[in-house]
Amino acid sequence: MSTIRLRDVLTVLEDMYPGDSAQSWDQVGLVTGDPDQPVRRVHAAVDPTLEVIEEARDAGADLLITHHPLLLRGVHSVATTSAKGASVTSLVVSDIALYVAHTNADVAEPGVNTALAQACGLTATEPLSLEEGTAMGRVGYLAEEVTLADFAERLAGALPPAPGGIRVSGPPDGRVRRVALLGGAGDGLLDAARAAGADVYVTADLRHHPALESREEARAATGTPFLVDAGHWASESLWLEDMLTRLHNSLADAGADVVGWETHVSTICTDPWTFTVGAQTAQGDPQ
């Protein structure tokens, strides 16, 4: 048995989430780290925030795997006077490698949307849409029809709690059987959800005008799809545990010495909101 090197881990991650399956605008792969450095402790999170990096450092992590990129857009300085610079410096000084699996993890099977589909109660799905030749989102059927309120409550129970909770557009007694979904920001696929005949579309970051226009277009027939905004962080957090398990198993199957190998999913909620005030119930009463 030999020491597990970062390059060994990268080989497995690239097989699980091929870089060439990411969207053309995305920035995925290794951000910091030496491919020859040993890896025994792996931390996973949705966002590479300063707090998450500190958590990984305190846990003695050699590798931090995140869903969202740290350097999605060009930067011209990594001085610690900016949050990006402080993040890069902290990673380098702490000898923590950072690896990003973003849209390539969204489209993977299993991946981000697979985990969200399971949380929604779907066991079999098909792609919701194709973008750049790659399947985006999922759509499938629940085992049985439920009310929109019951569906939202069950989903809330399967997701990690976040300050914003879950926003729902549609009558509580609306009927739901066919579900479309896309983890993270998804108002770009509102039309695809309607075209797929979905009763409800689960996604996040739904903006006022696209969501309102979608509901206006649903005025005919059954008024579907209803909308569920499950929150960006919450909807994209569920795949991390399975990713770490598969990474461990793949390394073991390849003959790596995984005795003492440790993994941890961050407990930090990186939803940017802290609390809500004056939320209104479905009946119109303040909570």
Side-chain angles (χ1 to χ4, degrees):
M1 298 290 184
S2 59
T3 300
I4 299 176
R5 302 287 175 180
L6 178 57
R7 65 173 68 257
D8 303 320
V9 181
L10 296 178
T11 296
V12 175
L13 288 171
E14 178 64 23
D15 182 63
M16 291 165 56
Y17 313 109
D20 59 8
S21 67
Q23 294 290 289
S24 59
W25 52 265
D26 205 2
Q27 299 293 334
V28 301
L30 188 64
V31 180
T32 64
D34 180 350
D36 286 326
Q37 71 185 76
V39 174
R40 300 303 297 178
R41 292 184 177 89
V42 182
H43 210 67
V46 174
D47 298 285
T49 63
L50 284 164
E51 188 180 9
V52 165
I53 293 170
E54 182 180 3
E55 181 188 47
R57 183 197 65 203
D58 292 345
D62 307 299
L63 170 63
L64 172 61
I65 302 173
T66 65
H67 184 47
H68 292 142
L70 175 62
L71 304 174
L72 183 59
R73 298 175 178 83
V75 297
H76 304 287
S77 170
V78 290
T80 58
T81 50
S82 72
K84 295 291 186 185
S87 297
V88 171
T89 299
S90 182
L91 288 164
V92 172
V93 170
S94 304
D95 202 22
I96 300 174
L98 172 63
Y99 182 89
V100 173
H102 191 206
T103 54
N104 50 333
D106 288 334
V107 302
E109 185 64 46
V112 174
N113 287 310
T114 311
L116 181 56
Q118 292 172 346
C120 288
L122 305 179
T123 56
T125 62
E126 59 187 25
L128 175 60
S129 178
L130 291 177
E131 292 188 13
E132 299 183 8
T134 304
M136 300 293 289
R138 298 287 189 273
V139 61
Y141 288 96
L142 299 173
E144 60 183 10
E145 186 179 80
V146 298
T147 67
L148 178 60
D150 284 343
F151 175 80
E153 288 287 345
R154 294 180 189 180
L155 179 59
L159 293 174
I166 291 180
R167 298 186 300 171
V168 182
S169 180
D173 60 353
R175 310 306 295 179
V176 171
R177 179 76 191 280
R178 185 163 170 81
V179 180
L181 62 96
L182 179 71
D187 57 22
L189 293 187
L190 284 165
D191 289 342
R194 183 182 304 108
D199 298 315
V200 64
Y201 178 42
V202 180
T203 187
D205 295 351
L206 287 173
R207 295 172 294 163
H208 177 89
H209 293 296
L212 186 60
E213 290 170 5
S214 176
R215 296 300 297 135
E216 289 284 281
E217 291 299 328
R219 66 192 185 283
T222 60
T224 57
F226 309 128
L227 303 178
V228 172
D229 189 320
H232 201 127
W233 170 79
S235 68
E236 293 190 324
S237 65
L238 299 174
W239 70 290
L240 296 171
E241 193 69 61
D242 179 67
M243 176 270 294
L244 291 175
T245 298
R246 293 177 61 225
L247 177 59
H248 171 276
N249 293 342
S250 294
L251 287 167
D253 290 344
D257 180 8
V258 294
V259 176
W261 171 272
E262 297 179 15
T263 61
H264 180 70
V265 174
S266 175
T267 59
I268 296 171
C269 173
T270 52
D271 190 305
W273 307 111
T274 307
F275 61 93
T276 58
V277 175
Q280 185 172 290
T281 67
Q283 289 73 37
D285 297 324
Q287 291 182 340

